[in-house]
Amino acid sequence: MSREMWNRILSPISVALACAGMLSAQNLAGPNSGFVYDPADKAIRLIVGVPGAAYLGGDLASGLDGASIAPDGARAVASRNGRLVLISTADGSAVDLGAWEGELALGAWSADGTAFAAKGSALALFRNLDATPEAVALGEFDGKITALAVAGRGTLIVATESGLFRLGEAAELLAPLEGVTALAMNAAGDRLYAASPLRKEIHQIGGLEASAEVAFLLGEAAGLDAPSALGVSGNTLYVADRGSHKLSAVRLDSSEMLFSLDLAFDATGMERLSSGRFLMTQAAGSGSIEIFDPARRAVLFVPQSGAFESQAADSVEE
């Protein structure tokens, strides 16, 4: 973002506080957009301010090998020093969840933030994270997992190249949808949306705890090329497409296209933030953090705190 744009957006009071070193993630009493995992810094950090006038604050937890933040922003699960830990975003305190090898490659939360599934060298599911965490015993699963979702308060669903499976003591085929690489759950945790770049389709799946009800939602006729990331808010489905470099909003009860935005990057995921916005995750090594704000119909870049302070200082000098 240019210095001139920052000068137009930021108020003189905010600039003065930033330059004085008084505007930190830990003591800010003002607007924020929630916590994110910053892969460049290997840390969980707070987005101070709102998209368009925001920056990354100080570290809540650092030295991580991956992390995922709950949709309500109250807690996060991270891999660190060969362990998986549950971190409170209120004070940074951590509860050990057990041994963990390598990075946290995939993670998925239940809609209420009380259950979490993790994929690395192993696959794990945890429930009751708002009280006393408990690990759930899972049966063996040999397929290559491409996406995870957690229904209700802890039913694990995995996507593979051949279909969607409900995983408990044994793996059960939920829906024979091929090539699914992106999943998104609704707020009630009872309806799942699955995107297949291979088939250029998105399906809606109900009956997640019993017999699945699969319905075609969108396809190539709606402009899909390679749908790669999904997000749900109320009656709206947000679809990021790596093929067309578009982010589209679709009304779920009518499949009406509400709006479409151009993307300057390849989106690989959408993670809901506690503010109601979405973190747009990208391919490894991209280095930038992008936030989608549905209310503003905009995707906005969030700079590092150092970049913010440098531009703020330039504004004061002028």
Side-chain angles (χ1 to χ4, degrees):
M1 184 176 289
S2 69
R3 186 181 66 187
E4 290 76 17
M5 185 173 294
W6 277 100
N7 291 344
R8 289 197 301 269
I9 293 172
L10 297 175
S11 71
I13 293 175
S14 295
V15 172
L17 289 174
C19 293
M22 298 171 60
L23 204 60
S24 71
Q26 284 72 29
N27 63 19
L28 180 72
N32 68 77
S33 294
F35 288 91
V36 297
Y37 173 64
D38 179 6
D41 194 39
K42 293 185 176 295
I44 295 173
R45 305 176 69 181
L46 180 68
I47 300 176
V48 180
V50 296
Y55 71 101
L56 289 181
D59 298 349
L60 174 76
S62 59
L64 308 177
D65 295 312
S68 180
I69 291 86
D72 63 3
R75 58 192 64 87
V77 171
S79 56
R80 178 172 59 191
N81 300 328
R83 310 294 294 182
L84 209 60
V85 293
L86 176 67
I87 300 172
S88 167
T89 57
D91 57 12
S93 61
V95 174
D96 185 76
L97 295 177
W100 189 258
E101 250 185 78
E103 297 182 355
L104 184 59
L106 292 174
W109 291 88
S110 61
D112 62 4
T114 64
F116 179 77
K119 174 71 175 70
S121 59
L123 181 64
L125 175 65
F126 301 91
R127 294 176 182 155
N128 206 33
L129 296 183
D130 56 339
T132 303
E134 57 178 305
V136 179
L138 297 174
E140 295 293 326
F141 190 79
D142 297 327
K144 180 182 178 182
I145 296 173
T146 55
L148 299 173
V150 181
R153 292 182 60 87
T155 298
L156 176 58
I157 296 168
V158 301
T160 72
E161 295 176 349
S162 59
L164 300 184
F165 293 83
R166 185 167 47 213
L167 190 57
E169 294 181 358
E172 179 185 358
L173 181 65
L174 187 69
L177 299 175
E178 297 178 348
V180 170
T181 60
L183 298 172
M185 192 73 64
N186 68 346
D190 61 0
R191 192 157 296 176
L192 183 67
Y193 298 90
S196 169
L198 174 69
R199 300 177 63 89
K200 303 183 179 184
E201 293 177 346
I202 296 173
H203 285 78
Q204 174 182 279
I205 304 99
L208 302 176
E209 308 285 349
S211 298
E213 303 161 0
V214 182
F216 173 82
L217 190 65
L218 296 170
E220 196 169 3
L224 294 186
D225 186 10
S228 54
L230 301 175
V232 184
S233 180
N235 192 39
T236 305
L237 176 70
Y238 300 107
V239 182
D241 194 301
R242 294 183 69 174
S244 64
H245 288 92
K246 298 279 187 184
L247 173 61
S248 302
V250 181
R251 188 178 173 91
L252 285 171
D253 58 5
S254 64
S255 296
E256 175 191 359
M257 191 70 68
L258 300 176
F259 63 86
S260 183
L261 306 172
D262 291 327
L263 293 176
F265 56 88
D266 287 336
T268 58
M270 295 179 68
E271 298 177 13
R272 188 174 179 84
L273 299 171
S274 57
S275 60
R277 303 177 180 94
F278 292 86
L279 170 67
M280 304 291 295
T281 57
Q282 303 170 56
S286 61
S288 67
I289 291 181
E290 309 280 346
I291 302 296
F292 168 49
D293 188 339
R296 295 175 61 178
R297 298 188 176 186
V299 176
L300 299 161
F301 162 72
V302 178
Q304 300 284 333
S305 57
F308 172 91
E309 291 165 7
S310 173
Q311 293 178 22
D314 289 344
S315 176
V316 169
E317 289 171 6
E318 292 175 0

